[in-house]
Amino acid sequence: MGCPVVEPRRWGDMWLVVAFCLLGQGHAAVTKEEKAHLRIQVLEMFDHAYGSYMQHAYPADELMPLTCRGRIRGQEPSRGDVDDALGKFSLTLIDTLDTLVVLNKTKEFEDAVQKVITDVNLGNDIVVSVFETNIRVLGGLLGGHSVAIMLKENGDRMQWYNDELLHMAKELGYKLLPAFNTTSGLPYPRINLKFGIRSPEARTGTETDTCTACAGTMILEFAALSRFTGISVFEEHARKALDFLWEKRQRSSNLVGVTINIHTGDWVRKDSGVGAGIDSYYEYLLKAYVLLGDDSYLERFNTHYDAIMRYISQPPLLLDVHIHKPMLTARTWMDSLLAFFPGLQVLKGDIRPAIETHEMLYQVIKKHNFLPEAFTTDFRVHWAQHPLRPEFAESTYFLYKATGDPYYLEVGKTLIDNLNKYARVPCGFAAVKDVRTGSHEDRMDSFFLAEMFKYLYLLFSEREDLIFDIEDYIFTTEAHLLPLSLSTASQSSTKKNTTTPYTELDDSNFDWSCPNSQILFRNDPMYAQNIREPVKNVVDKNCPRSPSRLDDVSGSGNRPLLRARDFMATNSEHLEILKKMGVSLIHLKDGRVQLVQHANQAASSIDAEDGLRFMQEMIELSSQQQKEQQLPPRAVQIVSHPFYGRVVLTAGPAQFGMDLSKHLAGAQGLVTRAEPYSGCSDITNAQAIQGKIALMQRGQCMFAEKARNVQKAGAIGGIVIDDNESSSSDTAPLFQMAGDGKNTDDITIPMLFLFSKEGNIILDAIREYLQVEVLLSDKARDRATIFKDLESESGEHKPVENDSQKQALDDLFMTPEEISELILVHKKKMSVSQPEVPSSDSPSGGDRASESDIKPASHEHTTEESAHSPKDNFQTPPENSKDPTEEKREDVRPMESVLANWKEDIEAFEMMEKDEL
C-alpha cells in the first residue's frame, strides 16, 4: 500500500511518514554482523581523522595532514577563495559537533562543546565567506545545540548545558546580518566578522556579484535561528533573498544562472545546472518546505525541477545549459558537486533518474578511485583534484534508505576502501591532488568530518545502533541536524508569494505523498538493478546522447545538427550547413583552415544559435585533441621508512625512455645523487648508482644526454630536479622532457622531472635517512601492493631484510596510537639541522621541454631554452613572490620546512568560485 496523503500544513508529521516509507524496505542479503564490521571501520577512520585534528591542529581551523600541523589563515600561503571559509574560529571542531553524537561519542561531544564555549572567538578581524560561515559555523553551532538539548532531555549527559551554543549562534547571526544590507536583499559574498561591511577597516563590501547558491542557501540556518530564539529578523532576511532569486529566474525556461549582481539582479553568468554555484539553492527550496511548512517553497522547487528535467537532465548525465536558450548545452563537462542531486531526487520521490545518475558517478569512481572535481561527457578527467567531497556518499545513503538494495552497501564499502588505500596518511586523510597519479594535497577540509563519516556511519547502521531517532531531524547542506519540531516553534506568519503567477505544471509535480515504495522495491526487488544495468558500461564507451536533443533541436524540420566531430572541410553538404549558420571557412597560407562566425549572416536566429554551438564544440574539440597529444603526469612515491608509500609527488614525464603507462610495475629502487650532479658527462660514481635511481639537476645539457649517461652507468631510472628553487607543481603547468632531436630508442630507463619543491623533499629525506627508496610509476600504487613485493621476487620467497622493512609491513595495520607515537618520534628527528646539499653554479641551458598546454616540441636541435612559463589557464605564483635568485638557501633545512608551504592547485576552485556549495 502506498503512503497516505498528508495535509500539507503538518510538515513534521508528513516528513515522519516519508521517512517511514523509505526505511520500510529491508533486504537480508547483507547481515547485521557484516554491517556492524563496516560501521566499526567507519568509527576507526573517524577517530584517526578527528584525533589527528585535535592532536596536531586544534585550535586552528583545519588540519594539514601531510605536515601534521594546523592551517591558520595568514600563516600559510593564500589559496584564494578557498581560504574564505577560515575565520580563526576552530572551524573543524564546530563543523564536527553533531557528527560526534551521531557516532555515539557523547563524552567527546561534551568535551568539544566545552572547548567551543571556552576557546572560540567569533569576532576576529578577518574577512570570511558569508555562505561558508553560515553552513559550516552557524549550522555547526545550531546542529550542536540541537543534539545537546536532546541529550540533556534524555538525562544522560549535558545536564550543565544552558544554551551556550545557541547564544554563540545568535552572536554570529547578528554578525552576518549586515551582509544583507543591499537593495535586492541578496547578501554580500564576504563580511568582516569584527567590522562588518561598510567601515574602512572591513576590507570588503566592494563586491558586486555572488553565486546563486551563496545567496540562496541561508534559509534553513537563519530560520532555525529565528525559531530557536524567537527573533524573526534572521528568517525574514533569508526569505527576502530567496524571493528575489525567484523573481529573477528566467521566465521562459524557469532556470536560474550561476552568478548574479547583488545590486541590480542582472545575471552575470547565464549558464545553469545543478552543480557548483547553484546546487544547494535547489536543495534548500525543498528542505525549507519540509522544515518550515510553507508550500510556496515546494511550488518553487517543483517549477525549477520540471525545468531541470526538461533541459539539464540527459540521463544519466546532467549538463549545464544557457538560461535563455535551454536547448543549447553550455559545456561538455560536469563538476563533482552535482553528486548530491540523486539524494535530492530521492527526497523528491523521483527514484529512477536518481539511480541512473548515481550509477554513472559510481562508474567514474571505479575508474579513477575518486570522483574528479570535473569530468567530461566521455568521462575523461577535466579537473583532477578530489578534496574528499562527501556528496556521493550522501546520495548513496539516501538511495539505500529509499531502496533497501544491498548494492549500495557495496558502494559504501568501496568508498571506505578507497579512502583507506589512497587518502589515509599518518596524520589523518589527505585530499587527492590528481586522481590520475594519486598525489596528495596538504589539506583535510572540515566538511570531511562533518559529512563523510556521518553518512557512511548511517549507511551501515540499524535503528538500534543510534542513540536517537535520526528521522526527527533534517540534514542541512553541511549535514548538520535541525529538528523537525521547528516547523511549529515560534512560527512566523508565512504566505504564498503572490508577486508573480506560478507556472502551470502537471498536477503530479505537486503530489503531497511519498512514492509507493512497496510497489517499487518489495514486489520487484530487481527494480533498482534493472535501472542500473544499462548504465554500468557507460563510462567505458562514449555515452549516447538523447536523440531528441541531437536530431532536431533547431526546429527546422528533421535535418540533423552538424556536430564538430563530424565536420569535414571537403564535404559540400557540410559547407552548405556552415553557410546557413553564418560560419565562414578561410584557407590560410600555411594550409590550415580557420572558421569564423558572423551571426548576422546566418539564415535565421535559430541557425545563428546552431552556429554558436558548432563553434563552441569546435573550440573544445581542438583543445581536447591538443591535450591528447600530451603525456599525463607521473608519480614518484617514497616507499621507504618512515614514508611507506604515503608521500606521492607529481612528476613530469619524458617523451623518451620507458613508457610507465605500459610497464605497470614501474621502476623501484634506492635514489642516489649522480656525480656530476648535472649528469652531463660520464658519471664518476657509477658504482654508487648502479641498480639505483639517479638524481640529477636540470641544466647544462639535453635531458636525453643525462638519461644516456646514467643509463650507461647502470642506473635503473632517473629523476631530473629543476634548478629553479621557487618552482613547484602547485603553481606551474605540467612539464614534459623532450628528446634531443635525434633517435632516442636507445634510452630504455624511465625518466621523470620534479620541480624544485618536490625534488627537495627527496633530497632532505636522503639527508635524514641516508637510504631512500622510491617507486617511479604512472600513478601511485596501493601501499599493501608495494610491500607485498617484499615477500616474493621472481616467484621465490624473499625474506624481510631489515627492521625497517618489517616495520613497513606492520605499519600497514598500525593503530592510531602507534601512528601518533611514530609521528612524535619522527618530528623530533626533523628538528635536527642538516647540512646543505651543494648545487651546480652553472646556469641552466640546453634542456628542452614541452608543456601540457602547448604543442609537442619540434625535433629541431636547441642548445638553450627558457624555463617553463605558466599559461593563462594555470595558476601563476603571486606577484609579490620573491625572485629565486634573491633567495639564499639556508644551512638549516629540516624536513618540515620543505613540507611546509604546500599550495593548493586552485585552478578548479577559481572557476567554481566556492569550495563547498
Side-chain angles (χ1 to χ4, degrees):
M1 157 176 105
C3 304
V5 174
V6 180
E7 208 288 319
R9 293 294 174 190
R10 300 181 60 187
W11 305 122
D13 293 342
M14 181 257 181
W15 174 245
L16 292 176
V17 173
V18 173
F20 174 80
C21 293
L22 296 182
L23 290 171
Q25 311 305 315
H27 290 265
V30 178
T31 66
K32 287 188 176 182
E33 290 73 18
E34 292 170 324
K35 290 178 68 175
H37 174 75
L38 292 166
R39 188 169 63 252
I40 293 171
Q41 203 172 350
V42 173
L43 288 174
E44 187 279 328
M45 294 166 65
F46 172 83
D47 289 339
H48 177 61
Y50 180 70
S52 295
Y53 166 75
M54 295 304 296
Q55 179 179 354
H56 300 291
Y58 181 79
D61 282 318
E62 290 181 342
L63 169 68
M64 299 173 68
L66 297 182
T67 49
C68 299
R69 68 176 191 264
R71 184 181 297 280
I72 301 175
R73 194 167 171 188
Q75 297 183 17
E76 302 294 335
S78 173
R79 302 176 299 169
D81 290 348
V82 179
D83 280 341
D84 287 346
L86 312 181
K88 296 182 179 179
F89 36 36
S90 301
L91 173 64
T92 297
L93 184 63
I94 293 177
D95 220 1
T96 311
L97 287 177
D98 53 7
T99 302
L100 290 166
V101 178
V102 171
L103 273 57
N104 197 13
K105 295 181 177 293
T106 54
K107 181 183 183 303
E108 291 86 343
F109 170 74
E110 192 161 7
D111 294 340
V113 171
Q114 291 172 337
K115 282 184 170 62
V116 170
I117 295 171
T118 304
D119 301 341
V120 171
N121 177 16
L122 297 174
N124 296 307
D125 179 13
I126 193 167
V127 176
V128 297
S129 162
V130 173
F131 166 78
E132 297 288 356
T133 304
N134 174 64
I135 66 170
R136 300 202 206 187
V137 185
L138 182 58
L141 292 170
L142 293 172
H145 171 69
S146 298
V147 294
I149 58 178
M150 178 271 297
L151 292 174
K152 183 177 182 179
E153 291 172 358
N154 291 346
D156 296 331
R157 287 193 176 272
M158 304 297 294
Q159 297 306 303
W160 55 270
Y161 181 70
N162 192 29
D163 294 348
E164 288 86 352
L165 294 179
L166 180 59
H167 297 321
M168 294 180 69
K170 183 169 71 172
E171 175 191 353
L172 181 59
Y174 277 121
K175 289 183 179 298
L176 294 179
L177 273 183
F180 291 85
N181 188 21
T182 61
T183 55
S184 66
L186 299 179
Y188 282 94
R190 299 175 185 85
I191 195 168
N192 188 300
L193 290 175
K194 183 175 182 179
F195 296 108
I197 292 287
R198 294 297 186 183
S199 68
E201 300 92 343
R203 305 186 304 281
T204 189
T206 59
E207 302 92 345
T208 59
D209 306 334
T210 192
C211 70
T212 300
C214 301
T217 311
M218 309 291 292
I219 187 64
L220 292 188
E221 292 82 3
F222 269 47
L225 182 59
S226 285
R227 301 194 179 201
F228 271 131
T229 62
I231 303 172
S232 63
V233 64
F234 303 109
E235 183 173 352
E236 290 169 358
H237 278 79
R239 171 68 188 242
K240 183 180 178 182
L242 278 180
D243 288 346
F244 189 83
L245 289 173
W246 171 252
E247 290 296 318
K248 291 299 178 179
R249 75 193 187 283
Q250 211 292 319
R251 299 305 175 92
S252 62
S253 67
N254 282 317
L255 295 172
V256 292
V258 173
T259 310
I260 191 171
N261 186 296
I262 59 176
H263 303 297
T264 66
D266 294 332
W267 291 110
V268 179
R269 279 185 55 187
K270 300 176 182 179
D271 45 319
S272 183
V274 297
I278 303 180
D279 49 0
S280 49
Y281 163 68
Y282 295 135
E283 177 186 3
Y284 269 37
L285 283 178
L286 182 55
K287 290 184 176 180
Y289 158 70
V290 173
L291 180 66
L292 306 177
D294 187 339
D295 58 317
S296 67
Y297 291 126
L298 179 63
E299 293 177 354
R300 296 181 189 185
F301 172 80
N302 278 321
T303 301
H304 286 313
Y305 187 77
D306 179 77
I308 291 169
M309 300 311 290
R310 284 178 189 269
Y311 306 121
I312 295 171
S313 177
Q314 301 181 46
L317 308 181
L318 292 163
L319 294 178
D320 285 17
V321 300
H322 296 278
I323 59 174
H324 296 288
K325 304 167 185 174
M327 301 303 293
L328 187 63
T329 300
R331 62 190 189 190
T332 58
W333 49 270
M334 296 166 279
D335 65 72
S336 63
L337 288 173
L338 62 77
F340 91 102
F341 197 67
L344 188 65
Q345 288 179 306
V346 170
L347 182 57
K348 158 70 178 170
D350 200 0
I351 304 296
R352 174 180 286 274
I355 293 173
E356 291 174 332
T357 298
H358 180 274
E359 182 61 26
M360 177 270 293
L361 296 170
Y362 184 43
Q363 297 303 317
V364 174
I365 289 174
K366 291 205 293 186
K367 183 174 183 179
H368 300 293
N369 296 323
F370 296 102
L371 199 60
E373 277 294 78
F375 52 94
T376 63
T377 53
D378 56 354
F379 310 106
R380 300 188 184 193
V381 173
H382 187 71
W383 295 332
Q385 303 94 329
H386 175 74
L388 307 181
R389 293 199 183 277
E391 285 79 11
F392 181 77
E394 173 186 358
S395 289
T396 302
Y397 165 67
F398 284 116
L399 271 170
Y400 176 66
K401 304 306 280 188
T403 65
D405 191 336
Y407 175 83
Y408 295 108
L409 299 179
E410 294 297 325
V411 174
K413 183 178 184 301
T414 299
L415 299 182
I416 291 174
D417 292 342
N418 288 350
L419 285 171
N420 279 322
K421 285 182 180 180
Y422 306 114
R424 186 165 183 152
V425 294
C427 293
F429 291 82
V432 179
K433 183 176 182 179
D434 192 318
V435 298
R436 296 165 296 189
T437 65
S439 56
H440 291 139
E441 288 185 274
D442 202 3
R443 167 184 184 182
M444 189 179 83
D445 290 83
S446 69
F447 55 70
F448 182 61
L449 285 167
E451 300 183 66
M452 180 68 80
F453 294 112
K454 191 177 291 174
Y455 287 124
L456 287 178
Y457 184 81
L458 290 172
L459 176 64
F460 298 110
S461 295
E462 305 289 344
R463 282 183 178 272
E464 58 267 23
D465 299 320
L466 305 177
I467 61 174
F468 65 99
D469 190 352
I470 196 70
E471 308 306 335
D472 289 340
Y473 299 83
I474 192 169
F475 293 104
T476 68
T477 194
E478 192 78 1
H480 292 307
L481 301 177
L482 298 178
L484 292 165
S485 57
L486 290 176
S487 62
T488 57
S490 304
Q491 191 168 358
S492 59
S493 59
T494 58
K495 58 183 180 180
K496 280 192 175 185
N497 179 4
T498 57
T499 55
T500 58
Y502 291 102
T503 303
E504 291 295 329
L505 299 175
D506 188 276
D507 289 342
S508 63
N509 283 317
F510 298 96
D511 285 345
W512 307 113
S513 61
C514 58
N516 193 334
S517 54
Q518 296 278 347
I519 294 177
L520 289 182
F521 308 116
R522 180 164 296 176
N523 293 342
D524 184 7
M526 298 295 291
Y527 177 84
Q529 181 178 336
N530 291 336
I531 296 175
R532 286 193 303 267
E533 202 60 37
V535 187
K536 280 188 177 293
N537 297 322
V538 71
V539 174
D540 295 325
K541 61 183 180 181
N542 194 18
C543 182
R545 302 179 186 228
S546 170
S548 61
R549 292 292 299 272
L550 300 183
D551 294 340
D552 189 27
V553 300
S554 65
S556 56
N558 295 319
R559 174 178 59 83
L561 288 173
L562 175 61
R563 312 312 299 251
R565 62 176 179 266
D566 301 324
F567 171 70
M568 297 179 62
T570 57
N571 188 313
S572 59
E573 183 179 347
H574 288 182
L575 296 178
E576 185 62 29
I577 295 175
L578 288 188
K579 184 178 180 181
K580 289 195 65 176
M581 295 190 298
V583 178
S584 303
L585 187 144
I586 303 172
H587 293 275
L588 303 179
K589 293 181 179 180
D590 60 5
R592 292 179 301 157
V593 174
Q594 182 178 10
L595 297 174
V596 179
Q597 190 205 21
H598 299 281
N600 59 353
Q601 296 179 8
S604 67
S605 60
I606 295 177
D607 287 310
E609 289 183 20
D610 291 345
L612 176 61
R613 175 202 49 75
F614 176 83
M615 294 296 289
Q616 290 174 333
E617 286 186 359
M618 186 61 74
I619 292 171
E620 291 184 359
L621 181 63
S622 175
S623 175
Q624 179 179 326
Q625 290 174 344
Q626 200 173 43
K627 290 179 180 178
E628 287 175 355
Q629 296 174 359
Q630 304 300 313
L631 296 171
R634 306 301 188 200
V636 176
Q637 191 169 9
I638 307 180
V639 299
S640 55
H641 169 78
F643 304 97
Y644 304 131
R646 295 186 180 93
V647 174
V648 183
L649 307 175
T650 299
Q655 295 176 348
F656 53 85
M658 179 190 293
D659 185 352
L660 291 172
S661 66
K662 298 179 181 178
H663 293 77
L664 298 182
Q668 182 171 336
L670 296 172
V671 289
T672 301
R673 176 172 160 153
E675 295 295 344
Y677 191 30
S678 66
C680 291
S681 59
D682 289 341
I683 304 301
T684 59
N685 63 335
Q687 188 174 358
I689 71 170
Q690 187 172 9
K692 299 178 182 178
I693 295 172
L695 297 177
M696 295 159 283
Q697 187 177 49
R698 180 184 182 187
Q700 302 185 39
C701 66
M702 309 299 291
F703 290 122
E705 185 177 346
K706 298 175 189 286
R708 290 188 178 99
N709 288 332
V710 295
Q711 178 177 285
K712 180 181 176 182
I716 62 172
I719 297 175
V720 178
I721 299 175
D722 195 9
D723 58 348
N724 180 355
E725 290 194 8
S726 66
S727 65
S728 163
S729 68
D730 293 326
T731 55
L734 177 67
F735 190 92
Q736 297 191 50
M737 295 185 289
D740 55 3
K742 306 174 185 177
N743 190 321
T744 56
D745 291 344
D746 59 313
I747 302 175
T748 58
I749 63 173
M751 292 287 294
L752 295 181
F753 179 89
L754 290 178
F755 287 111
S756 177
K757 188 194 79 170
E758 287 78 14
N760 281 332
I761 292 177
I762 293 181
L763 292 174
D764 284 352
I766 294 175
R767 293 192 195 97
E768 182 67 27
Y769 300 104
L770 299 182
Q771 290 193 329
V772 175
E773 187 175 3
V774 303
L775 170 66
L776 311 184
S777 60
D778 64 330
K779 61 181 179 180
R781 289 171 59 188
D782 178 11
R783 294 194 294 272
T785 303
I786 293 172
F787 292 106
K788 187 175 182 181
D789 295 341
L790 291 174
E791 299 179 353
S792 63
E793 184 178 18
S794 301
E796 298 179 1
H797 178 70
K798 180 179 179 182
V800 176
E801 297 176 355
N802 53 51
D803 292 339
S804 294
Q805 292 181 350
K806 183 177 186 300
Q807 183 179 359
L809 291 170
D810 294 340
D811 184 69
L812 294 176
F813 306 98
M814 289 176 68
T815 65
E817 292 76 14
E818 290 171 331
I819 291 177
S820 298
E821 184 177 351
L822 170 64
I823 295 304
L824 289 175
V825 173
H826 184 52
K827 290 183 73 174
K828 290 178 182 178
K829 290 183 180 180
M830 294 304 174
S831 64
V832 180
S833 300
Q834 303 295 340
E836 179 183 5
V837 175
S839 60
S840 172
D841 295 329
S842 303
S844 64
D847 295 343
R848 298 180 62 208
S850 62
E851 298 174 0
S852 64
D853 58 332
I854 61 176
K855 297 179 180 179
S858 67
H859 291 284
E860 178 182 63
H861 184 75
T862 306
T863 58
E864 182 171 351
E865 188 164 318
S866 62
H868 41 78
S869 301
K871 304 299 178 185
D872 292 340
N873 59 331
F874 288 91
Q875 180 191 0
T876 57
E879 293 181 359
N880 60 355
S881 62
K882 295 181 180 179
D883 188 321
T885 60
E886 298 175 358
E887 296 184 358
K888 295 183 178 179
R889 190 162 183 170
E890 299 179 359
D891 291 336
V892 179
R893 193 179 177 92
M895 174 71 79
E896 285 193 338
S897 70
V898 178
L899 294 178
N901 302 327
W902 281 51
K903 296 182 180 179
E904 303 290 347
D905 180 358
I906 61 171
E907 170 196 0
F909 305 104
E910 289 176 339
M911 295 187 67
M912 292 166 66
E913 300 184 286
K914 292 295 170 184
D915 180 58
E916 167 69 356
L917 300 181

